[in-house]
Amino acid sequence: MRLSACLIYAYANLPLGNINNARFALAELRNALEKSPSASSAQGQAAMAFMGYTSSVLLHLPLPEEAPPVDTLLPLLPPGLRAFALYVVAHQLYLKGEHARSLGIAEGALLMTPETYPIPEIYLRLVAVMDCMSLKRTDEAREHLLAAWELARPDGLIEAFGEHHGLLGGMLESVIKKDWPEDFKRIIDITYRFSAGWRRVHNPATEETVADNLTTSEFVVSMLATRGWTNQEIGTHLDVSTNTVKSYLASSFRKLGINKRSELEKFMLR
């Protein structure tokens, strides 16, 4: 219960801008991961490791060197947490660039979970969108996004969409914006507030710099350009002209102080 509270506390403080509070909670979670092998029961080890892995992976922070192996811990978690833990594993593989493996885990978890756990399923669907967009499988990405949206919208569970906006490759702009404009505005508001806190924790901790001065449109176009999409492909996906894409890229280059596409990668989410 305490570790669950730490995770919620950390994520609640990020969009509020209370970065020291978020860092305190994240430190507690990372300590739990390091100490998990000494827990009194196997289930306790699994719970402590799950919370620690989740905080590190979702904020793209390095894992402790002594982190226990994931495969031995997953079976010990109850079904709902196990489904979310598989999302964390898939997300970690995505960050390593292993998009096909990540997609396989996400889709396998969705197929093998007999009951519906809305929160884990939303997150699994979103990581599948991220993978499909990296693999340029836009039709499959759209299907996963709409399936997540169907689960999330009735109860207003849209925070995950804001948290993942930069990784979804413009799919929110392509699918959600035109049919649900008010919901899209709320998602973007969540994106700005969450991302500001996320970067204030991530950038100093990893000694990397994820761009924090781009608009959401500039960030989406830059992300797709980093993934090898042409200007025409980006324009078709976002339903804008090639000249508009060029304008977004030129503005991004100017803000980041760079001159060419190949220099974008060091400022983009992996």
Side-chain angles (χ1 to χ4, degrees):
M1 289 175 65
R2 182 172 181 275
L3 292 174
S4 296
C6 279
L7 189 62
I8 294 168
Y9 186 73
Y11 265 74
N13 275 290
L14 288 176
L16 292 172
N18 300 329
I19 304 305
N20 287 336
N21 292 351
R23 286 186 177 132
F24 164 78
L26 290 168
E28 290 292 296
L29 291 165
R30 290 173 66 80
N31 288 338
L33 179 56
E34 292 174 349
K35 295 176 181 177
S36 60
S38 62
S40 58
S41 68
Q43 286 76 17
Q45 291 177 14
M48 292 168 72
F50 162 72
M51 291 297 178
Y53 271 112
T54 298
S55 63
S56 290
V57 171
L58 299 192
L59 287 168
H60 304 189
L61 302 176
L63 288 165
E65 291 183 6
E66 300 301 320
V70 175
D71 54 351
T72 61
L73 301 173
L74 279 172
L76 301 174
L77 295 171
L81 278 185
R82 192 183 312 147
F84 194 87
L86 286 168
Y87 152 76
V88 174
V89 172
H91 196 125
Q92 186 178 27
L93 288 171
Y94 167 85
L95 295 176
K96 293 179 178 179
E98 299 182 36
H99 302 125
R101 284 187 66 200
S102 175
L103 180 60
I105 285 177
E107 292 186 332
L110 289 166
L111 287 171
M112 296 300 291
T113 305
E115 297 181 49
T116 297
Y117 297 94
I119 300 299
E121 183 169 340
I122 289 168
Y123 279 81
L124 283 164
R125 295 282 184 186
L126 292 181
V127 79
V129 174
M130 291 153 46
D131 291 317
C132 288
M133 291 304 293
S134 296
L135 297 168
K136 292 189 177 182
R137 291 156 60 171
T138 52
D139 289 342
E140 292 175 56
R142 183 182 300 268
E143 290 176 10
H144 280 296
L145 185 74
L146 287 172
W149 189 242
E150 185 177 342
L151 272 175
R153 190 166 180 262
D155 296 316
L157 303 175
I158 64 173
E159 284 77 10
F161 295 83
E163 292 168 11
H164 289 76
H165 174 271
L167 297 169
L168 295 175
M171 192 54 70
L172 295 177
E173 283 77 1
S174 176
V175 177
I176 304 299
K177 184 176 182 179
K178 58 185 177 182
D179 291 331
W180 297 278
E182 292 305 313
D183 289 323
F184 178 78
K185 289 178 183 177
R186 290 173 57 216
I187 291 171
I188 295 303
D189 178 61
I190 292 168
T191 298
Y192 275 121
R193 289 187 287 108
F194 178 80
S195 297
W198 185 95
R199 292 182 179 108
R200 286 176 65 187
V201 170
H202 170 274
N203 289 356
T206 62
E207 297 183 351
E208 298 173 350
T209 302
V210 174
D212 61 0
N213 58 345
L214 305 183
T215 67
T216 54
S217 295
E218 290 167 349
F219 199 93
V220 164
V221 168
S222 296
M223 276 287 290
L224 291 172
T226 301
R227 293 174 178 175
W229 288 50
T230 66
N231 290 352
Q232 184 173 352
E233 288 174 329
I234 296 171
T236 300
H237 173 53
L238 298 177
D239 196 23
V240 298
S241 69
T242 303
N243 284 336
T244 299
V245 174
K246 291 178 180 177
S247 176
Y248 283 137
L249 284 174
S251 178
S252 298
F253 289 177
R254 185 172 60 254
K255 290 180 179 180
L256 298 174
I258 59 178
N259 299 307
K260 51 189 178 181
R261 291 168 80 107
S262 60
E263 295 178 277
L264 276 173
E265 184 174 356
K266 60 186 176 183
F267 296 101
M268 295 292 106
L269 293 167
R270 309 313 176 244

